């Protein structure tokens, strides 16, 4: 197929523009397509405002020139008038000024800056594929310049006719000095045609000799002026259409092509603000549906494993789910159902698995293990979890938190009491920097007090009994109050634990106060701040895994359920494993794929390079081709298999 020439492309600029606009509306949602169209119009308006600014400036210069002519001009006045008039109406200068107004010199650099800014966004490296060559921009410029050249050619004919007219006047009126010189042309012709570029230097004629010759010459001037005005009107109309088409070709065409690339990865634009060089991605409808089904299947499996007390399997599956979703920022932040984002849902079941396993530890008398792992959990938790989202048959956050605090009081580990405060402070900083994940925060202060009642109670307890907390609270902060119902629920859990201590006394006191008078509440500074749009950390481009499988049940309700299990929210292993000799892997090629299973056909979960230190998990397998695979863990906790052909072991 022959490559289309740009000169033919601009024959019907309006039609071509609407064709691209229709393509935008077809491949993008309404909000995004309208944003691109508006951005193109903004770029066009900016250029046309510059054009009209140049035209107005030239008209003003002609007006000033006319006003400067005295009633009885000298020969020098006449000479200066003509010289300045022809300078202002010089076709070459007009053409140059118009091209400057359209910023032809910066069209390419502006676009390159656009690509550079957009490439810094999520998966924005795709934009770098569309850094068009200079000859592409030159072709667009030439197509627009063609109309400017037509205009200035007509202006040249007009200017030449004025010059001839001035010569005739000079010949006929020799010796009449101040009575036969053109004057008032800018206002006369300007008023006749009514446009800012009208200044022409032809005016009322003083005297009356050889009137027929003068009129004949003047008619030629006006005929050429009319030709110029026709050209000018066509030019202005077509210039805006052509420039708008050029901007749509550059920017609209790029967005369409980038969208096609994202579609291949099952992504699509969700929102866009091109003036700020920002956009947000979401999954395609098909991918969102399949991901929702996959997550529902996986979380139902985790729930069933917890109910069966298959702790290690529940921990393993929920850990994989969390890390898979975390590695995909788009999946992490978008809402799938019931007001929950992908990462919040994964974190919810991750937390539930650990909470139920820890409570089982406590129940079975493994208090030391319970205490160590619970403290580590609170030190690492990245998101909040609302009690209403925990499965109905599972324990609430208060069951775990109260047991941990009471155990810390028993051990007189005052410093450990701060972990829950630090947990909320850590979440606050993350929300301020990155935004929250849908589902993480309740919609009101009242809901917050209900969903996080145990944390609010402990904060007040630590502040009043141990003077631990923020003593410089802002008096303007919103007050979060615990209801009598919430305090009754907490008192019931404390009674269930059965250990009487300072916390028990405090809960009882607060419950009585809730009956006798309102509790004065607890403040959280970050609750009154705007909830920013969630933004995941950019990691790797990868398609979602098709699902997670459950291993054989490992019923072990009376033993330590954690064993050597890797800690979920960091790359650290258990204390027992840290004491072992660690083996690290390093790839020997520039890049290497870490896969979900020891097979070249399995999904890629991480793209490693030579700078990555991969922790060997003391497990290796051979595939059907005899290739050896090592199980490794990355710095962010991701686990998978990497081929021995591109790795070497490093002892530490």
């Amino acid at each position: 197929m022959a490559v289309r020439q740009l000169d033919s492309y601009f024959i019907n600029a309006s039609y071509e523009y609407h064709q691209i606009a229709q393509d935008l509306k077809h491949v993008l949602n309404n909000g995004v397509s309208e944003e691109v169209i508006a951005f193109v119009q903004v770029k066009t308006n900016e250029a046309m405002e510059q054009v009209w600014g140049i035209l107005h400036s030239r008209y003003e210069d002609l007006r000033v020139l006319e006003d400067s002519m005295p009633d009885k001009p000298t020969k020098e006045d006449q000479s200066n008038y003509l010289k300045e008039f022809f300078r202002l109406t010089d076709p070459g200068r007009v053409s140059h000024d118009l091209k400057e107004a359209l910023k032809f010199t910066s069209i390419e650099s502006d676009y390159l800056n656009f690509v550079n800014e957009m490439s810094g966004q999520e998966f924005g490296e795709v934009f770098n594929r569309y850094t068009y060559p200079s000859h592409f921009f030159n072709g667009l410029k030439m197509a627009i310049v063609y109309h400017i050249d037509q205009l200035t050619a007509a202006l040249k004919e007009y200017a030449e006719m004025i010059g001839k007219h001035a010569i005739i006047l000079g010949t006929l009126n020799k010796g009449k000095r101040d009575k036969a010189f053109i004057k008032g042309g800018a206002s006369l012709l300007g008023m006749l045609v009514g446009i800012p570029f009208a200044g022409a230097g032809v005016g009322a004629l003083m005297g009356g000799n050889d009137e027929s010759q003068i009129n004949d010459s003047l008619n030629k001037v006006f005929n050429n002026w009319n030709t110029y005005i026709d050209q000018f009107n066509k030019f202005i109309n077509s210039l805006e259409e052509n420039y708008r088409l050029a901007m749509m070709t550059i920017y609209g065409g790029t967005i369409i092509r980038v969208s096609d690339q994202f579609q291949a990865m099952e992504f699509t634009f969700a929102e866009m603000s091109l003036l700020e060089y920002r956009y947000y991605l979401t999954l395609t409808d098909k991918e969102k549906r399949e991901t929702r089904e996959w997550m529902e299947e996986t979380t139902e499996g985790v729930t069933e494993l917890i109910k069966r007390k298959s702790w290690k399997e529940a921990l393993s599956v929920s850990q994989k789910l969390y890390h898979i979703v975390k590695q995909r920022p788009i999946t992490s932040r978008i809402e799938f159902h019931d007001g929950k984002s992908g990462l919040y849902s994964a974190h919810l079941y991750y937390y539930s698995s650990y909470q139920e396993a820890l409570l089982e530890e406590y129940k079975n008398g493994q208090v030391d293990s319970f205490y160590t792992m619970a403290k580590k959990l609170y030190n690492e938790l990245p998101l909040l979890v609302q009690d209403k989202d925990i499965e109905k048959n599972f324990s609430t956050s208060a069951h775990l938190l109260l047991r941990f605090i009471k155990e810390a009081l028993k051990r007189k580990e005052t410093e450990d009491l701060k972990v829950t405060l630090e947990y909320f402070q850590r979440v606050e900083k993350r929300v301020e920097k990155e935004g929250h994940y849908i589902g993480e925060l309740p919609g009101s202060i009242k809901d917050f007090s209900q969903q996080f009642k145990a944390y609010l109670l402990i904060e007040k307890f630590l502040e009043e009994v141990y003077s631990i907390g923020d003593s410089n609270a802002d008096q303007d902060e919103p007050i979060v109050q615990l209801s009598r119902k919430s305090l009754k629920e907490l008192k019931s859990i404390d009674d269930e634990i059965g250990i009487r201590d300072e916390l028990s006394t405090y809960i009882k006191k607060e419950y009585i106060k809730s009956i006798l008078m309102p509790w004065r509440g607890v403040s959280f500074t970050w609750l009154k701040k705007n909830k920013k749009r969630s933004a995941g950390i950019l990691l790797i481009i990868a398609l979602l895994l098709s699902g997670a499988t459950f291993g054989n049940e490992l019923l072990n309700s009376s033993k330590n359920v954690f064993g050597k299990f890797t800690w979920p929210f960091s790359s650290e292993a258990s204390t027992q494993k840290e004491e072992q000799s660690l083996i690290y892997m390093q790839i020997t090629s520039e890049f290497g794929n870490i896969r979900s299973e020891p097979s070249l056909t399995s999904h890629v979960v991480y793209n490693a390079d030579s700078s990555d230190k991969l922790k060997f998990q003391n497990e290796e397998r051979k595939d059907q081709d005899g290739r050896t695979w090592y199980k490794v863990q990355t710095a962010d906790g991701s686990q998978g298999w990497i081929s021995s052909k591109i790795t070497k072991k490093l002892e530490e």
Side-chain angles (χ1 to χ4, degrees):
M1 180 177 177
V3 177
R4 186 173 177 187
Q5 298 297 317
L6 280 173
D7 53 359
S8 67
Y9 184 66
F10 279 84
I11 288 176
N12 192 337
S14 178
Y15 172 79
E16 301 289 357
Y17 168 84
H18 286 293
Q19 286 294 104
I20 302 177
Q22 288 301 314
D23 289 343
L24 283 169
K25 293 176 181 178
H26 178 71
V27 301
L28 305 172
N29 67 50
N30 289 338
V32 174
S33 62
E34 289 174 2
E35 170 68 17
V36 177
I37 292 171
F39 178 75
V40 166
Q41 192 60 53
V42 167
K43 301 288 285 186
T44 304
N45 291 344
E46 289 176 351
M48 295 308 296
E49 285 175 10
Q50 291 291 327
V51 168
W52 284 109
I54 289 293
L55 298 177
H56 179 73
S57 175
R58 188 172 294 277
Y59 169 70
E60 286 299 308
D61 289 343
L62 285 165
R63 186 185 61 77
V64 170
L65 174 63
E66 176 199 346
D67 293 342
S68 69
M69 177 63 67
D71 291 334
K72 296 182 178 182
T74 65
K75 188 173 183 179
E76 183 179 0
D77 292 333
Q78 297 172 6
S79 176
N80 290 337
Y81 179 93
L82 289 172
K83 185 187 299 182
E84 183 63 11
F85 169 77
F86 285 114
R87 185 187 72 81
L88 291 172
T89 57
D90 175 62
R93 292 179 60 86
V94 173
S95 178
H96 176 269
D97 288 350
L98 290 176
K99 293 171 186 177
E100 284 291 310
L102 291 171
K103 296 183 179 179
F104 282 154
T105 57
S106 64
I107 288 179
E108 183 174 2
S109 60
D110 285 350
Y111 177 72
L112 292 177
N113 179 65
F114 168 82
V115 169
N116 181 61
E117 293 289 343
M118 296 296 273
S119 67
Q121 294 291 297
E122 192 170 47
F123 301 129
E125 59 270 17
V126 175
F127 278 88
N128 290 321
R129 302 176 187 177
Y130 301 102
T131 51
Y132 301 117
S134 295
H135 65 76
F136 169 78
F137 294 96
N138 291 334
L140 292 176
K141 295 173 190 175
M142 289 174 61
I144 300 174
V145 167
Y146 171 74
H147 293 270
I148 295 178
D149 291 341
Q150 280 188 318
L151 174 70
T152 53
L155 177 59
K156 183 178 181 181
E157 292 179 12
Y158 169 69
E160 288 175 352
M161 187 54 64
I162 283 201
K164 292 176 182 179
H165 183 69
I167 293 172
I168 292 174
L169 291 177
T171 302
L172 294 176
N173 294 285
K174 224 176 234 184
K176 295 197 175 172
R177 300 172 118 188
D178 50 354
K179 287 191 176 181
F181 187 75
I182 55 175
K183 180 176 176 292
S187 61
L188 175 62
L189 293 178
M191 292 171 65
L192 284 174
V193 298
I195 62 172
F197 196 82
V202 176
L205 301 175
M206 305 300 294
N209 291 338
D210 301 293
E211 184 174 347
S212 62
Q213 292 186 50
I214 294 173
N215 286 339
D216 183 61
S217 177
L218 187 58
N219 284 333
K220 291 180 180 179
V221 170
F222 275 98
N223 286 337
N224 279 275
W225 172 256
N226 290 334
T227 300
Y228 173 68
I229 289 304
D230 289 341
Q231 292 289 339
F232 182 83
N233 289 333
K234 292 178 182 178
F235 162 75
I236 287 298
N237 292 333
S238 64
L239 177 62
E240 182 168 0
E241 288 185 353
N242 287 350
Y243 196 89
R244 185 177 64 164
L245 174 58
M247 295 300 100
M248 178 62 86
T249 302
I250 296 171
Y251 294 99
T254 296
I255 295 299
I256 289 174
R257 288 170 176 79
V258 170
S259 176
D260 289 342
Q261 296 292 319
F262 284 152
Q263 288 279 344
M265 295 185 286
E266 302 296 345
F267 302 152
T268 187
F269 289 110
E271 296 179 33
M272 185 175 286
S273 178
L274 290 179
L275 290 176
E276 298 176 355
Y277 306 109
R278 293 174 59 190
Y279 61 82
Y280 298 100
L281 294 174
T282 186
L283 299 178
T284 61
D285 290 340
K286 174 178 176 292
E287 187 67 14
K288 186 181 292 186
R289 182 177 64 255
E290 292 179 355
T291 301
R292 181 187 297 113
E293 293 172 355
W294 165 69
M295 290 192 67
E296 287 176 350
E297 177 186 347
T298 306
T299 53
E300 286 173 4
V302 172
T303 301
E304 185 62 28
L305 288 170
I306 293 174
K307 289 179 179 179
R308 295 179 185 180
K309 297 188 177 182
S310 300
W311 307 117
K312 290 186 178 181
E313 288 297 303
L315 292 169
S316 177
V317 174
S318 62
Q319 181 186 48
K320 289 178 181 177
L321 172 65
Y322 178 80
H323 284 304
I324 288 171
V325 175
K326 182 184 176 184
Q327 289 173 349
R328 293 153 179 79
I330 299 172
T331 305
S332 293
R333 68 166 180 263
I334 66 173
E335 180 179 352
F336 284 97
H337 60 84
D338 297 334
K340 300 184 187 71
S341 60
L343 192 66
Y344 177 74
S345 292
H347 180 270
L348 171 66
Y349 285 89
Y350 208 169
Y351 172 82
S352 294
S353 297
Y354 272 84
Q355 176 166 272
E356 295 303 311
L358 285 167
L359 291 174
E360 187 70 17
E361 290 267 74
Y362 188 89
K363 175 182 176 182
N364 293 324
Q366 302 288 338
V367 181
D368 288 342
S369 175
F370 162 83
Y371 186 75
T372 299
M373 296 302 288
K375 182 173 71 172
K376 200 168 183 62
L377 176 70
Y378 289 122
N379 275 323
E380 300 291 347
L381 278 173
L383 275 69
L384 299 177
V385 173
Q386 297 193 56
D387 280 343
K388 69 179 181 62
D389 295 323
I390 296 174
E391 290 285 338
K392 291 182 179 180
N393 295 325
F394 295 169
S395 303
T396 67
S397 59
H399 289 85
L400 179 62
L401 181 60
L402 294 189
R403 283 170 172 79
F404 172 75
I405 294 297
K406 293 170 81 68
E407 187 62 27
L409 292 173
K410 177 182 176 182
R411 296 167 183 253
K412 302 187 183 302
E413 296 287 354
T414 306
E415 285 299 309
D416 290 349
L417 295 172
K418 298 178 181 179
V419 296
T420 57
L421 302 180
E422 293 167 351
Y423 164 38
F424 268 64
Q425 291 167 0
R426 185 170 61 253
V427 171
E428 173 187 355
K429 290 179 181 178
R430 196 210 75 237
V431 170
E432 290 179 346
K433 182 179 179 180
E434 303 175 6
H436 75 289
Y437 290 91
I438 299 173
E440 184 180 13
L441 295 178
S444 68
I445 298 298
K446 180 180 179 181
D447 289 341
F448 189 92
S449 67
Q450 174 62 31
Q451 299 306 316
F452 302 105
K453 52 183 173 288
Y455 294 99
L456 297 177
L457 174 75
I458 295 303
E459 184 197 47
K460 201 64 180 173
F461 168 71
L462 296 178
E463 180 182 341
E464 293 186 0
V465 178
Y466 285 90
S467 300
I468 297 175
D470 185 6
S471 59
N472 299 314
D474 187 349
Q475 297 301 313
D476 294 329
E477 293 167 5
I479 300 301
V480 182
Q481 293 184 332
L482 290 185
S483 65
R484 183 187 308 173
K485 179 181 177 182
S486 293
L487 288 166
K488 184 177 181 180
E489 290 174 1
L490 294 173
K491 183 176 180 299
S492 175
I493 294 173
D494 183 72
D495 292 340
E496 177 187 324
I497 297 172
I499 300 175
R500 314 312 300 173
D501 53 18
E502 294 169 289
L503 180 59
S504 301
T505 302
Y506 184 81
I507 293 175
K508 182 178 180 180
K509 181 184 70 173
E510 291 301 317
Y511 177 63
I512 293 173
K513 284 171 61 177
S514 72
I515 299 174
L516 301 178
M517 62 180 138
W519 192 50
R520 60 191 180 92
V522 177
S523 301
F524 275 78
T525 60
W526 54 288
L527 285 177
K528 66 179 180 180
K529 298 178 181 177
N530 292 330
K531 299 176 183 178
K532 303 175 184 176
R533 184 176 303 282
S534 60
I537 301 172
L538 294 180
L539 293 174
I540 59 174
I541 299 179
L543 299 177
L544 289 172
L545 301 186
S546 58
T549 57
F550 309 142
N552 295 327
E553 295 182 17
L554 297 175
L555 299 177
N556 196 2
S557 59
S558 63
K559 301 292 183 181
N560 185 317
V561 300
F562 290 96
K564 299 179 181 179
F565 196 78
T566 305
W567 186 248
F569 304 112
S570 72
S571 60
E572 300 176 18
S574 66
T575 303
Q576 181 178 355
K577 190 167 184 177
E578 287 175 353
E579 294 173 354
Q580 298 175 356
S581 175
L582 297 177
I583 300 175
Y584 286 89
M585 298 282 187
Q586 185 179 43
I587 67 172
T588 55
S589 58
E590 185 177 0
F591 297 102
N593 292 326
I594 297 177
R595 299 181 179 274
S596 59
E597 299 294 337
S599 168
L600 290 175
T601 59
S602 63
H603 296 285
V604 176
V605 298
Y606 189 85
N607 290 4
D609 59 36
S610 56
S611 66
D612 284 311
K613 292 182 66 176
L614 309 173
K615 188 183 295 183
F616 182 48
Q617 299 299 293
N618 296 312
E619 188 174 351
E620 59 182 72
R621 293 184 193 172
K622 288 186 180 293
D623 60 21
Q624 59 183 7
D625 298 323
R627 183 183 291 101
T628 300
W629 294 81
Y630 299 130
K631 188 172 185 179
V632 295
Q633 177 176 298
T634 64
D636 70 353
S638 302
Q639 290 193 6
W641 298 84
I642 192 164
S643 171
S644 62
K645 292 182 179 294
I646 58 169
T647 55
K648 60 181 180 180
K649 292 183 180 181
L650 299 173
E651 287 276 355
E652 286 198 359

